Amino acid sequence: MKKWLAILAGLVIMIPLAACGNKAVATTSGGKITESAYYSSMKSTSSGKQVLQQMILNKVLEKEYGDNVKKSEVTKEYNAYKAQYGSSFSSVLSQSGMTASSLKEQIRSNLLLKEAVKDYSKITQAQIDKQWKKFEPEVTTAHILVSSKDDAQSVIDELNSASSDKKWSTFKKLAKSKSTDTTTASTGGKLSAFDNTDTTLASAYRKAAFQLKTGEYSAEPVKTSDGYEVIYMIKHPNKGTEKSNRAKLKDQIITSNMNNSTKLHNVVSKVLKKGHVSIKDNDLKSILDDYLTSSSSSSSTSSSTSSSSTSSSSSSDSSSSASE
């Protein structure tokens, strides 16, 4: 699929567990299904429990960090998803069982959780120095994906024969006519910008791209699991200094902590304990034991209580068709 599907892939279906009356949620020739019957059935399922866990976490996060996440931040990230998917955005949402509204809610949940991770991340100078060694500035590339090495070499040969002022326009034309990535072919193969923290593009693609300067393209085909790539570097800014990128380096460390299951589990545990959560339904009393009991294992992270973050780090098929 596409780069931004990562955040969609880990989402749970938001089942309304709060319903507990006798009002019918559905009627059939064999009788009606009441809210209370629906609730009783759903609370015993793993998906129902996961939804409740996420709802509890969201409530606590909103209370603690709600003022830190602005509506404009949610809108900016939402628009980035929308731009990445282009005309297929609505169909991708539908396939993921989501609406524009639920996506925005999930984005906000993820940003709130990031604020919590930031709050509990004590970043040292040694960590910043280590991150600087891995740092690559955000670059913008375009690609042409083909099935064989010979096809990729043919593209490179055509680019080589084009005059210097026609390289980019030639690349876009070739992307439209030859690239097997139908999602990006119509826009000249252009992909969303990425830096060293990207997990959606194949490592071979990232490594080859970071070696290119602005206006350069692959001197030889780049092999990925999806075929052969020809990469064009649209914009590769200077790396700058560690001092000038200090804020970015800290943000990368925080993002890395969000993607670390053990660290994320510990943060969620602290957040929930601070939130004084009390489960009123006896059948669900143990739903947060993995996070609230002192004997819980920090490596147990399968619960969707942290799905809004872990989903953003999961590898999905990229729009560059360069998934690892």
Side-chain angles (χ1 to χ4, degrees):
M1 296 293 289
K2 306 172 181 67
K3 178 177 180 179
W4 297 100
L5 191 58
I7 192 173
L8 304 177
L11 300 182
V12 293
I13 300 172
M14 300 305 288
I15 304 165
L17 287 174
C20 58
N22 290 319
K23 181 180 178 181
V25 294
T27 59
T28 74
S29 59
K32 67 180 181 180
I33 299 173
T34 64
E35 291 176 337
S36 58
Y38 178 57
Y39 172 81
S40 295
S41 175
M42 290 312 305
K43 74 177 183 180
S44 64
T45 67
S46 59
S47 60
K49 291 176 182 177
Q50 287 171 357
V51 171
L52 181 57
Q53 288 174 329
Q54 187 68 61
M55 292 174 73
I56 290 171
L57 179 60
N58 286 347
K59 286 287 187 182
V60 177
L61 288 172
E62 193 66 57
K63 174 66 167 60
E64 192 70 21
Y65 303 103
D67 291 341
N68 296 357
V69 178
K70 306 301 181 184
K71 184 178 180 180
S72 58
E73 295 178 74
V74 176
T75 301
K76 180 180 179 180
E77 198 160 314
Y78 172 83
N79 287 338
Y81 289 108
K82 191 173 182 180
Q84 173 63 23
Y85 285 108
S87 60
S88 62
F89 180 64
S90 295
S91 62
V92 171
L93 282 181
S94 179
Q95 291 168 15
S96 303
M98 298 197 65
T99 63
S101 178
S102 62
L103 175 58
K104 288 179 180 179
E105 289 176 5
Q106 188 62 28
I107 290 171
R108 182 171 180 82
S109 295
N110 204 52
L111 291 174
L112 288 169
L113 187 55
K114 186 173 182 179
E115 285 297 316
V117 172
K118 179 180 179 180
D119 192 23
Y120 288 100
S121 295
K122 307 304 178 184
I123 301 175
T124 65
Q125 183 59 46
Q127 288 177 301
I128 293 176
D129 292 341
K130 183 179 179 180
Q131 191 65 30
W132 173 245
K133 293 179 181 179
K134 300 181 287 185
F135 178 77
E136 292 285 353
E138 191 172 77
V139 300
T140 303
T141 63
H143 81 132
I144 297 173
L145 175 68
V146 291
S147 58
S148 73
K149 186 176 182 179
D150 287 342
D151 288 341
Q153 187 59 54
S154 175
V155 169
I156 294 172
D157 291 341
E158 288 194 57
L159 289 170
N160 289 339
S161 63
S163 59
S164 57
D165 62 331
K166 299 290 185 180
K167 301 289 188 185
W168 175 228
S169 59
T170 299
F171 186 95
K172 289 189 289 184
K173 290 178 181 178
L174 291 171
K176 292 178 181 179
S177 63
K178 296 182 179 295
S179 182
T180 58
D181 179 6
T182 56
T183 303
T184 63
S186 62
T187 57
K190 186 177 179 179
L191 301 175
S192 293
F194 62 92
D195 60 18
N196 57 289
T197 64
D198 180 84
T199 58
T200 63
L201 296 170
S203 58
Y205 186 97
R206 298 195 306 268
K207 182 179 179 180
F210 289 139
Q211 293 175 353
L212 298 173
K213 296 178 181 179
T214 300
E216 292 183 341
Y217 54 88
S218 307
E220 57 186 36
V222 178
K223 178 71 170 69
T224 70
S225 59
D226 295 296
Y228 289 85
E229 303 269 9
V230 179
I231 306 169
Y232 187 97
M233 179 57 67
I234 299 174
K235 182 180 180 181
H236 192 159
N238 292 327
K239 184 174 181 178
T241 64
E242 179 177 324
K243 183 178 180 180
S244 66
N245 286 287
R246 190 176 182 84
K248 289 182 181 179
L249 294 171
K250 286 184 175 181
D251 188 68
Q252 288 188 357
I253 293 170
I254 291 167
T255 299
S256 177
N257 288 345
M258 284 189 71
N259 296 335
N260 182 304
S261 59
T262 300
K263 291 181 179 180
L264 184 62
H265 182 280
N266 290 337
V267 169
V268 171
S269 294
K270 291 174 182 178
V271 168
L272 291 175
K273 288 174 182 177
K274 190 174 181 180
H276 305 293
V277 180
S278 177
I279 307 297
K280 303 302 183 182
D281 189 316
N282 288 331
D283 294 332
L284 296 169
K285 283 291 186 181
S286 64
I287 195 171
L288 297 178
D289 280 0
D290 186 43
Y291 294 92
L292 299 180
T293 60
S294 57
S295 60
S296 65
S297 168
S298 64
S299 62
S300 301
T301 55
S302 59
S303 166
S304 73
T305 308
S306 58
S307 69
S308 62
S309 173
T310 55
S311 67
S312 66
S313 68
S314 65
S315 257
S316 67
D317 291 337
S318 159
S319 65
S320 71
S321 45
S323 303
E324 295 187 88

